[in-house]
Amino acid sequence: MVTVVGGAVSDHIYRVDHVPSAGPEAHGRFEAHPGGKGLNRAVAAARLGLRSRLISAVGDDDAGGRILAYLRAERVNTEHVRVVPGVPSAITMVVVNPTGVSTTIGCREDGIVPDVEHIGDGLAAADVVLLTFEQPSWVIDRVLAAVRSLRPAPVLIVHAAPPIEAPHDLLRHLDRIDYLIGAPWELGDLAGTRDADFDSSVAPWLRARGVRSVCAVEHLACRVRSDTVNLDLPANPAARQGDSPGGGAAFGAALAYRLLLTERPATGPDYYWATAAMASTSVEGPVPVGMPTSATIDAVVARYPASR
């Protein structure tokens, strides 16, 4: 069981020939569909054949109904997706340039939060908990405190995105995180030094406070720093673009899959497989639809085996 705590939104995707600024308009196309960092990861885990549960919240509008229907069609357990009456579902605007690099704008009412009073019920029986930072910091704090109390303890994977306003409130939980994932600047934000060097400052600072493995994921490549793994993996040659909006979701779900498959801490081949998962995502169409199966990732690894 992989339990994901994060957002479930309506993604409004704009695929443009260039990211617009003041001046001439950009040209592109528009599509809307269910998305969100939490939803994408829950769907990615289900695509890999794992039992997947999402803890999130939607409004009681048509968009919320479409999100729930989509999750159920993808075999994601929605028992702990709260439907909030009288509040519209969250919307995320995503602008994607021709290389796959995206810019996002989030629109969410304050009331769109999970049922924190029963958060322990949603986390129960989880072998892996995968947490994003889409919820308010007080909700994230409650989730992390609940995870700390679980016995047996699940593996905790945290994706430090999107940035939160008061990351220092969460620092007391760093020693509970098994795998911390994020772009270098997102990890730097959590460490209070956004522009600091990943190797000399950010990763050592996070590890000194108890994070067991720090994974910098950017442009479909990853760098891992832990007591046992010191690894720099470029983007897999199968990647068709310089980036993918679903790359981070695919990486986190693939890492969870490998941890459950091997029943041991992640090693080089596991990170290589997760990096191949990023390369296997589609840059066209809805983000969750582009999440790969294990067979797809295996085929990429077979075609481009890791160098020794």
Side-chain angles (χ1 to χ4, degrees):
M1 172 68 76
V2 175
T3 298
V4 181
V5 186
V9 310
S10 286
D11 271 346
H12 289 189
I13 308 294
Y14 299 82
R15 301 187 185 278
V16 297
D17 54 2
H18 69 278
V19 176
S21 58
E25 68 179 29
H27 297 280
R29 63 188 188 277
F30 167 78
E31 59 196 52
H33 53 76
K37 296 184 189 304
L39 181 146
N40 292 338
R41 284 157 177 78
V43 171
R47 289 280 180 89
L48 295 173
L50 300 172
R51 290 188 299 143
S52 178
R53 173 194 292 153
L54 178 63
I55 299 177
S56 191
V58 297
D60 63 347
D61 52 6
D62 290 343
R66 286 191 293 271
I67 290 168
L68 287 171
Y70 179 77
L71 285 165
R72 290 162 184 160
E74 290 287 342
R75 298 178 297 107
V76 175
N77 184 314
T78 61
E79 180 183 358
H80 296 279
V81 178
R82 177 187 178 207
V83 179
V84 184
V87 179
S89 296
I91 294 174
T92 298
M93 186 186 82
V94 185
V95 180
V96 185
N97 74 12
T99 66
V101 176
S102 61
T103 301
T104 62
I105 299 174
C107 304
R108 187 189 68 193
E109 298 287 339
D110 291 341
I112 298 291
V113 295
D115 180 5
V116 292
E117 296 304 319
H118 300 92
I119 201 74
D121 296 337
L123 295 168
D127 298 297
V128 175
V129 173
L130 211 168
L131 170 68
T132 71
F133 283 175
E134 290 169 290
Q135 304 296 340
S137 59
W138 66 269
V139 175
I140 298 170
D141 180 81
R142 291 283 289 272
V143 171
L144 289 169
V147 170
R148 186 183 290 276
S149 68
L150 293 175
R151 297 293 182 275
V155 175
L156 177 58
I157 301 174
V158 174
H159 198 127
I164 53 179
E165 292 183 0
H168 56 274
D169 292 341
L170 305 179
L171 299 185
R172 67 188 181 95
H173 295 296
L174 290 179
D175 66 337
R176 180 57 190 84
I177 298 175
D178 297 297
Y179 299 89
L180 180 63
I181 303 169
W185 67 269
E186 290 169 337
L187 298 171
D189 250 16
L190 194 58
T193 52
R194 171 176 285 212
D195 298 323
D197 180 72
F198 172 74
D199 274 315
S200 63
S201 298
V202 175
W205 191 92
L206 292 167
R207 290 185 57 218
R209 281 151 185 81
V211 178
R212 279 165 278 290
S213 296
V214 181
C215 312
V217 174
E218 189 176 40
H219 303 313
L220 306 183
C222 84
R223 289 180 281 169
V224 183
R225 302 293 182 263
S226 74
D227 286 342
T228 57
V229 178
N230 184 28
L231 189 64
D232 292 75
L233 291 173
N236 190 284
R240 291 175 293 173
Q241 301 285 351
D243 212 337
S244 167
F251 183 92
L255 183 60
Y257 176 90
R258 293 288 297 191
L259 291 169
L260 292 171
L261 178 72
T262 63
E263 298 182 333
R264 54 158 173 72
T267 61
D270 304 312
Y271 291 112
Y272 189 81
W273 203 82
T275 303
M278 290 195 288
S280 303
T281 59
S282 172
V283 296
E284 297 295 330
V287 173
V289 172
M291 293 298 108
T293 65
S294 59
T296 300
I297 302 169
D298 283 340
V300 168
V301 172
R303 184 180 179 188
Y304 300 104
S307 58
R308 296 187 181 275

